[in-house]
Amino acid sequence: MDLNAKIPDGPIEGKWDRHRFEMKLVNPANKRKYNIIVVGTGLAGASAAASLAELGYNVDCFCFQDSPRRAHSIAAQGGINAAKNYQNDGDSIYRLFYDTVKGGDFRAREANVYRLAQISVNIIDQCVAQGVPFAREYGGLLSNRSFGGAQVSRTFYARGQTGQQLLLGAYQALERQIGAGKVKMYARHEMLDLVVIDGVARGIITRDLVTGETRGWVGDAVVLATGGYGNVFYLSTNAKGSNVTATYRAYKRGAGFGNPCFTQIHPTCIPVSGDYQSKLTLMSESLRNDGRVWVPKQKGDTRRPEQIPEDERDYYLERRYPSFGNLVPRDVASRAAKAVCDEGRGVGPSKMAVYLDFADAVRRLGQNVVADRYGNLFEMYERITGEDPYKTPMRIFPAVHYTMGGLWVDYNLMSTVPGLHVLGEANFSDHGANRLGASALMQGLADGYFIIPYTIGNYLAQAKLPKITVEHPEVQRCLAGVRAQTTRLLGIKGRTTVDEFHRELGLVMWDYCGMGRTAEGLKIALQKIPEIRARFWSDVAVPGANEELNPWLEKAGRVADFLEFGELMCLDALERNESCGGHFREEYQTPDGEALRDDANYSYAAVWEYTGEGSAPRLNKEPLEFKNVKLATRSYA
Amino acid sequence: MSKTMTLTLQIWRQRSANTPGSMQTYKLEGVNEHMSFLEMLDVLNAKLTKDGQDPVAFDHDCREGICGSCSMVIDGRPHGPRKGTTACQLHMRTYKDGDTITIEPWRAKAFPVIKDLVVDRSSFDRIVAAGGFVSVNTGVTVDANATPIGKKNADEAMDYAACIGCGACVAACPNAAAMLFTGAKVGHLVKLPQGQVERRGRVLRMVEQMDHEGFGACTNHRECSEACPKEISFDAIELLNREYMRAQVTND
Ligand SMILES: Cc1cc2nc3c(=O)[nH]c(=O)nc-3n(C[C@H](O)[C@H](O)[C@H](O)COP(=O)(O)OP(=O)(O)OC[C@H]3O[C@@H](n4cnc5c(N)ncnc54)[C@H](O)[C@@H]3O)c2cc1C
Ligand code: SF4
Ligand code: FES
C-alpha cells in the first residue's frame, strides 16, 4: 500500500500556499465536463458539493436522510474553533496548530494540522457572509467562548446550536446549486458499494430507500463525507443512522483504514436508564465549570444524594487532580468516572453514573445566575430524566462521541484508491488520538470549502479517465453483489432482531474496546465478534421486502458492516501497545494512572489494508515526524 | 423502581403512497416510564418483528430534537402534548397505565405519505432552493468582523434560524400552510445585513414556490406556532406578509 502523504516541501507556514501554486488547474470551461459524486451532506459533504458546483463541476450528491439538512452535523452544540485572535488573548495560527497536535497526543500529521489552523479563519468569514447567526457582543462584533484543551478564547458559537447553523449555511449554499441545476441531489439514497475500475474510483452503487431500486453511478471522482462510526458501540451520542457502511465498503475495495481504534468518549452524557435505551445525549462540557463531580465514599451506598453527608462524599476529580479539578480533559474525566463505578461506587439505578452537583454553585451564585448559564441544559436534562438539577444532582456518565479514525488520506485528501477523496469525520483526520472540542466542525468545513475544491482539480487535470457508462461490467458486478446481499438478508428470516445483534456487539465493544483496553480483553472481543457475526447471518430477522421503504433492511446492512468493522478496531487496539489520547491500554500507564505513550515504537498512523474475506488485514504504517512541535507528556495533577 | 404501563396504541398503517391506509390497534405491555416515545415504538416494532408482522415505519435520526426528522401526530397534536418538544424528546412518563394513544403521519397535500408515519417533505427543500440563501460563493475575503451586527438583530435572526424544518406547522394548520416555515427563513435572512441585497427576489420566489407545492394559505388560526417544537413566533408570518407586500411595491 502506497502511503506517500504528498506533503509539500518547505517550511510549514508556506506549504499550503506553495502547493496551491504548484497544483494543476482545470480550465473553467472544462469543469462542466466533469462529473463528481459526493456522498454525504453534513458539513463536509454539503460544503464540498456546493463549492465544487460553484466552480462549474457537475455534482451528484447523496444522503440517506430525507433531506440534506438533517445530516448528523446538525446536532453539534458547542462551537467551532478559529484562530482569529479577536479577543486579543494571544491566539495565533501557530497556537491553534500546536494545541491541536498536542491535544491529539502527537498522533496527527503536522502539515495537515497546520493547514487546518490557517484555513480556520477563512471559515468564519465565509459563514458570516452566508448569514450564519453567530453569537455577538453588544458592540456588534463576534463573541467567543473557551473550550477544553486551550488557554485562549477562540470558539465561535450560535447558542447551543452551532452545528445546526453552520450546516444550514452549507445546506442553503447547496440548495442554491440544486436550484441552479449544478447539483443533482438524491436524498433517501444509501451508498452500498464503491466502484473501482482499473484501480481508480469511478462510481458508486446506491439503493433508493423509498423504492428499493439499486443503481450504479459513474463519475470522474468520488468524494466520501459520510461521517463517523461511533455507533459501532450501539449506544453513542451519534444520530441513529450514523454508520460505517460507506467507508467500510470502500475499505473492502482497497482504501486503507487509518487508526480505526481511535475513538473519543465524552465524560458528560446522560447515563443509560434501561436496556430499551436507543441513544445517549450529550450534556455540554461547560457544565463542569460550576458543577462538582462526586460519588459516595462507601460502596453500594443506596441513600439518596441529599442524605449523604459531606464527609461521606468523594469529590474524586478534585482529590486526584488538585490543580485542574473538575476541568481535567475529556479522556481523563471519562476514565476517572469509569474507575469509581468499577469499584462499585457508581450511583443511580444502574450504578453506572456519577453525580454532577450544582448545590454549591446555587449557594454561591444564586439560582438565577445558574439558570442564566445553564438553564437550557437543565431543561434538556429534566425532559429526559424527569429530575430537576436545581434540586438534586445530575447523574452523568461517559459516552462514545466521536471517531478520530477513518479512511487514510494524503495531503490532498485522497485515499489510497486514486480518485476516492474522503472528508470530515470519515477520514482519519487531523485529530490524532484525541480531538479537542469545537475542532470537528472546523475540520469538516475546511475540507469541504477550502481544500477539496483545489485538490480535486489537481487530480482531474492529471488523471487519465476513459469514458465509461453504468453498463461497464465492473458496475454490473458491484450491482449484482449488492443485490445478492439484500436478498440474503431478507432470506434469513431468523428470530433475533437487528437491534438485538447491534446491542450485543455494542456491549462487547464497550467492555473490551471502550474506555479501557487490555490485550487480554481485546483477544476475548476478537473471539466474540466473529461468533456474533455468524449468528447474525443465520438468525437475523429482517422484516418486509426490498421494493419498499424498509428501515430494518437498511439497518441490517449497517449492522452487518459494524460486525466486521468492530473486529478491525479491536485488532488495531491490540496492535498499538501504548496508551495515547482516547486509546487507553491499561497495561501502559504511569504510576498515577495516566496514559503512557511510546513514541519510539508507535509514532505512526496505523493503516489497515483489506486482503479478502477470511484473511487477516495487513498493517501498513505512515511514520509521523514532528519537526515543529516538541513531543511532550501531558500532565494535569 | 421505575413504573411500567400497558398502553393501547392506535397507529396509522399504510403500505405505500398508492395503497389506502387505516388505523390499527396494538396493545403494548411493560412500557417503562423513562422510555422516550420513539423507544416505546422501538419496543412495539421488536415485538411485531418477532411475531412475524410488519413493523411501523417512522422517520427519526438525532433523537434529541434538532434534526427535524421525527414527524408524527400524537393524539391529534403534531409532536404530541408537550410544548416546545419534538416527538423524540417526549417521554413516556407523560402517560399513565391504561392510556390509549393515537399516532398518525403529518397530513398535507404537499407532504404525501410514503409509508405508515413517513411522509415526503422534499417540498420544504425546494422552497429553500427557490431563494432561502445568500448568493455568495466560497472564497469570501471580507473579514467576519468587518460588518458589526447589533446584538438584537443577531438574536432575532437566530430565533428564526432555529427552525428545524420538521413540518409540524404545516401538519397543525387547518389549511396546511407553510407560512411559518417560510417566514422563519425569510425572517432569519432579513434581520441580517448579508440578507439585504436579495431581499425582494427571495421572498417573491420562496412564496411562489410555496404556492406551487400545494401548501394552503394562512387564515390566522395560529395553530402553527403553538405546535412548533422550536416555538417559532407567529411574528414570522406577519413578517413574511410584510416582506411580500413590500416586494410587490418596490423594485430594488
Ligand atoms: C452531540 C454531538 C455534539 C457535537 N458537538 C460538536 C461541537 O460543538 N463542535 C465540534 O467541532 N464538533 C462537534 N461534534 C462532532 C461533529 O458534529 C461531527 O464530527 C461532524 O459534524 C461530522 O460532520 P461530517 O460532515 O463529517 O459528517 P455528518 O454530519 O455525520 O454527515 C454524514 C453524511 O453522510 C451521509 N451518509 C452516511 N453514510 C451514507 C451512506 N452509506 N450513503 C449515503 N449517505 C451516507 C449522511 O446522510 C450525512 O449526510 C459533535 C458531535 C455530536 C454527536
Ligand atoms: S417553523 Fe417550527 S414547526 Fe415549522 S418546520 Fe420550523 S421548527 Fe418545524
Ligand atoms: S429525531 Fe431528530 S428531531 Fe426528532
Side-chain angles (χ1 to χ4, degrees):
Chain A
M1 191 164 259
D2 176 17
L3 294 181
N4 180 356
K6 308 211 174 71
I7 301 168
D9 295 333
I12 197 157
E13 299 80 11
K15 283 183 192 293
W16 179 232
D17 257 357
R18 178 179 179 152
H19 193 53
R20 281 197 292 179
F21 176 68
E22 287 171 357
M23 275 189 286
K24 301 271 179 298
L25 298 175
V26 177
N27 166 322
N30 278 342
K31 290 201 176 94
R32 69 186 133 82
K33 296 184 187 150
Y34 289 103
N35 213 43
I36 299 173
I37 291 171
V38 177
V39 189
T41 59
L43 288 182
S47 59
S51 305
L52 291 169
E54 286 163 8
L55 289 172
Y57 296 108
N58 298 308
V59 178
D60 286 327
C61 187
F62 301 84
C63 72
F64 65 75
Q65 291 92 347
D66 70 326
S67 162
R69 69 180 287 151
R70 304 202 206 285
H72 165 58
S73 293
I74 202 90
Q77 304 171 350
I80 177 168
N81 288 330
K84 279 286 197 186
N85 194 29
Y86 283 160
Q87 307 305 324
N88 196 29
D89 56 0
D91 200 8
S92 63
I93 286 166
Y94 193 86
R95 189 179 289 280
L96 175 54
F97 156 69
Y98 178 83
D99 287 349
T100 308
V101 172
K102 178 178 169 213
D105 222 354
F106 305 94
R107 290 294 174 263
R109 194 189 287 146
E110 275 192 342
N112 285 50
V113 179
Y114 195 88
R115 173 177 64 185
L116 175 65
Q118 284 177 306
I119 289 174
S120 69
V121 299
N122 305 107
I123 296 173
I124 304 303
D125 299 342
Q126 180 67 31
C127 295
V128 165
Q130 290 172 339
V132 169
F134 283 121
R136 287 176 183 269
E137 308 291 353
Y138 282 98
L141 300 184
L142 291 161
S143 172
N144 288 117
R145 56 166 62 141
S146 313
F147 246 66
Q151 288 163 310
V152 294
S153 203
R154 62 158 79 99
T155 306
F156 294 78
Y157 63 100
R159 294 202 185 134
Q161 292 128 274
T162 316
Q164 180 198 30
Q165 294 310 316
L166 295 174
L167 183 60
L168 291 181
Y171 157 77
Q172 287 163 200
L174 174 64
E175 286 296 337
R176 174 173 163 241
Q177 295 306 315
I178 294 171
K182 288 304 290 179
V183 176
K184 293 213 173 53
M185 182 69 222
Y186 301 92
R188 291 201 200 268
H189 275 67
E190 180 162 34
M191 167 184 161
L192 294 176
D193 207 351
L194 175 76
V195 180
V196 180
I197 296 174
D198 299 329
V200 177
R202 293 304 303 271
I204 61 169
I205 307 293
T206 61
R207 181 173 173 272
D208 178 328
L209 302 182
V210 175
T211 65
E213 187 198 3
T214 322
R215 229 184 114 172
W217 306 81
V218 293
D220 299 296
V222 178
V223 176
L224 294 190
T226 50
Y229 50 82
N231 280 346
V232 66
F233 292 90
Y234 184 71
L235 288 179
S236 82
T237 62
N238 288 11
K240 290 295 286 176
S242 299
N243 66 85
V244 77
T245 290
T247 48
Y248 189 71
R249 297 195 186 180
Y251 158 76
K252 284 177 129 180
R253 296 278 173 212
F257 211 109
N259 301 326
C261 82
F262 284 175
T263 46
Q264 178 166 80
I265 312 242
H266 197 292
T268 52
C269 300
I270 300 180
V272 176
S273 70
D275 52 12
Y276 47 78
Q277 185 108 14
S278 60
K279 78 155 290 183
L280 296 170
T281 302
L282 179 79
M283 298 303 292
S284 168
E285 86 183 14
S286 64
L287 289 169
R288 286 195 280 142
N289 279 296
D290 287 304
R292 297 180 70 197
V293 176
W294 66 275
V295 289
K297 282 188 177 161
Q298 193 188 315
K299 281 184 194 173
D301 194 331
T302 53
R303 288 174 292 177
R304 292 196 50 76
E306 50 279 5
Q307 292 166 336
I308 302 178
E310 201 57 32
D311 63 348
E312 292 179 40
R313 300 174 175 194
D314 179 12
Y315 294 90
Y316 60 88
L317 287 178
E318 297 169 23
R319 174 173 57 79
R320 283 181 64 183
Y321 307 99
S323 55
F324 277 71
N326 293 296
L327 279 172
V328 289
R330 287 179 181 180
D331 48 345
V332 178
S334 295
R335 279 198 291 277
K338 177 179 186 285
V340 293
C341 293
D342 287 349
E343 288 166 21
R345 297 195 289 142
V347 301
S350 66
K351 303 285 168 218
M352 291 307 273
V354 300
Y355 289 128
L356 179 61
D357 197 336
F358 292 88
D360 271 0
V362 170
R363 228 170 285 134
R364 182 165 42 94
L365 305 163
Q367 178 149 337
N368 286 347
V369 176
V370 174
D372 202 44
R373 286 188 193 164
Y374 308 112
N376 59 339
L377 294 167
F378 280 27
E379 210 178 286
M380 183 155 122
Y381 181 84
E382 190 273 330
R383 211 178 259 137
I384 293 175
T385 63
E387 290 178 356
D388 177 0
Y390 293 108
K391 300 209 176 90
T392 187
M394 280 186 180
R395 281 175 291 117
I396 53 158
F397 199 65
V400 174
H401 180 58
Y402 181 86
T403 51
M404 282 76 69
L407 292 180
W408 181 90
V409 288
D410 64 14
Y411 191 73
N412 296 315
L413 304 181
M414 191 152 88
S415 71
T416 56
V417 177
L420 177 68
H421 298 77
V422 192
L423 322 181
E425 194 173 339
N427 71 26
F428 87 132
S429 89
D430 304 342
H431 310 293
N434 176 55
R435 174 179 68 80
L436 291 182
S439 286
L441 303 182
M442 168 173 74
Q443 182 225 334
L445 291 181
D447 289 0
Y449 282 135
F450 295 109
I451 301 175
I452 196 70
Y454 293 94
T455 58
I456 216 163
N458 183 48
Y459 167 74
L460 293 171
Q462 299 174 79
K464 296 206 173 28
L465 300 164
K467 271 257 158 299
I468 52 162
T469 68
V470 290
E471 303 309 324
H472 191 284
E474 186 54 23
V475 180
Q476 293 302 316
R477 200 175 70 88
C478 293
L479 258 176
V482 166
R483 288 183 184 139
Q485 165 153 353
T486 303
T487 311
R488 194 175 160 206
L489 284 169
L490 288 166
I492 298 168
K493 301 200 182 304
R495 291 153 306 169
T496 308
T497 65
V498 177
D499 272 349
E500 284 172 311
F501 281 114
H502 194 180
R503 269 200 203 98
E504 191 180 350
L505 170 70
L507 270 181
V508 170
M509 295 305 294
W510 180 248
D511 285 345
Y512 301 111
C513 198
M515 266 186 287
R517 303 155 173 191
T518 62
E520 195 191 350
L522 289 162
K523 284 179 192 151
I524 298 176
L526 285 169
Q527 274 179 347
K528 288 190 174 216
I529 297 168
E531 188 265 319
I532 304 173
R533 191 165 66 228
R535 265 190 292 122
F536 174 90
W537 283 106
S538 63
D539 190 40
V540 70
V542 186
N546 175 51
E547 292 74 23
E548 61 175 343
L549 180 81
N550 188 341
W552 300 277
L553 176 61
E554 295 164 25
K555 181 98 207 260
R558 293 173 195 157
V559 172
D561 291 330
F562 280 139
L563 280 166
E564 294 183 21
F565 178 71
E567 206 177 327
L568 188 67
M569 279 177 72
C570 292
L571 268 181
D572 186 43
L574 182 62
E575 186 280 335
R576 192 172 279 277
N577 292 307
E578 65 162 349
S579 293
C580 56
H583 171 65
F584 192 72
R585 278 283 300 274
E586 291 173 9
E587 304 95 318
Y588 308 102
Q589 51 180 307
T590 64
D592 359 304
E594 304 307 339
L596 194 60
R597 255 186 7 241
D598 177 357
D599 293 327
N601 294 301
Y602 291 93
S603 197
Y604 60 75
V607 186
W608 295 88
E609 181 178 354
Y610 185 70
T611 58
E613 204 176 323
S615 140
R618 186 178 303 125
L619 174 63
N620 302 272
K621 299 173 182 175
E622 182 201 340
L624 297 170
E625 284 176 40
F626 295 92
K627 293 188 184 146
N628 297 275
V629 173
K630 215 169 129 276
L631 287 161
T633 308
R634 305 190 301 168
S635 161
Y636 303 98
Chain B
M1 262 318 280
S2 38
K3 284 188 287 242
T4 60
M5 52 191 116
T6 300
L7 299 171
T8 305
L9 303 170
Q10 294 184 320
I11 306 178
W12 181 260
R13 302 304 309 267
Q14 182 172 344
R15 196 139 195 130
S16 69
N18 307 318
T19 44
S22 64
M23 295 300 283
Q24 301 285 328
T25 304
Y26 304 90
K27 197 166 173 147
L28 191 61
E29 291 168 358
V31 176
N32 186 301
E33 60 170 342
H34 295 307
M35 279 179 189
S36 72
F37 198 84
L38 301 191
E39 284 165 351
M40 183 275 291
L41 288 178
D42 291 342
V43 172
L44 172 72
N45 279 341
K47 181 168 172 279
L48 292 175
T49 304
K50 296 226 175 212
D51 293 347
Q53 297 181 50
D54 206 23
V56 182
F58 61 91
D59 265 326
H60 65 100
D61 200 20
C62 74
R63 295 202 175 193
E64 50 188 63
I66 192 72
C67 74
S69 293
C70 60
S71 45
M72 49 189 84
V73 177
I74 303 170
D75 287 332
R77 301 176 67 169
H79 290 302
R82 203 169 159 170
K83 201 165 161 48
T85 305
T86 53
C88 60
Q89 292 174 297
L90 187 64
H91 279 69
M92 295 315 291
R93 64 183 79 86
T94 315
Y95 297 92
K96 55 182 195 308
D97 191 40
D99 277 357
T100 297
I101 307 174
T102 64
I103 311 172
E104 296 166 89
W106 286 174
R107 293 192 193 278
K109 189 168 138 224
F111 290 164
V113 172
I114 294 175
K115 186 180 179 183
D116 297 337
L117 306 173
V118 178
V119 300
D120 179 349
R121 287 171 286 191
S122 53
S123 46
F124 268 13
D125 292 324
R126 289 187 293 272
I127 293 176
V128 175
F133 46 75
V134 176
S135 297
V136 288
N137 285 358
T138 303
V140 175
T141 50
V142 184
D143 186 86
N145 259 347
T147 312
I149 302 175
K151 188 165 163 35
K152 183 163 170 290
N153 273 343
D155 283 348
E156 283 175 5
M158 181 61 216
D159 289 342
Y160 287 126
C163 164
I164 58 174
C166 64
C169 46
V170 176
C173 174
N175 309 324
M179 297 277 284
L180 195 69
F181 168 78
T182 308
K185 188 44 59 194
V186 168
H188 159 208
L189 295 173
V190 86
K191 292 285 170 189
L192 298 173
Q194 290 82 4
Q196 297 311 310
V197 176
E198 297 167 285
R199 181 172 175 181
R200 177 170 180 271
R202 172 182 308 119
V203 68
L204 292 176
R205 280 178 286 134
M206 289 180 78
V207 168
E208 189 193 351
Q209 188 66 33
M210 190 178 85
D211 295 340
H212 178 75
E213 295 289 347
F215 290 104
C218 172
T219 47
N220 287 308
H221 288 269
R222 293 177 175 258
E223 302 280 355
C224 52
S225 54
E226 271 304 301
C228 173
K230 297 296 134 180
E231 305 185 66
I232 303 288
S233 154
F234 192 75
D235 294 351
I237 293 185
E238 284 154 15
L239 178 145
L240 180 64
N241 283 330
R242 260 196 329 273
E243 285 299 306
Y244 189 69
M245 304 258 269
R246 179 185 176 279
Q248 284 180 317
V249 298
T250 56
N251 51 7
D252 56 11

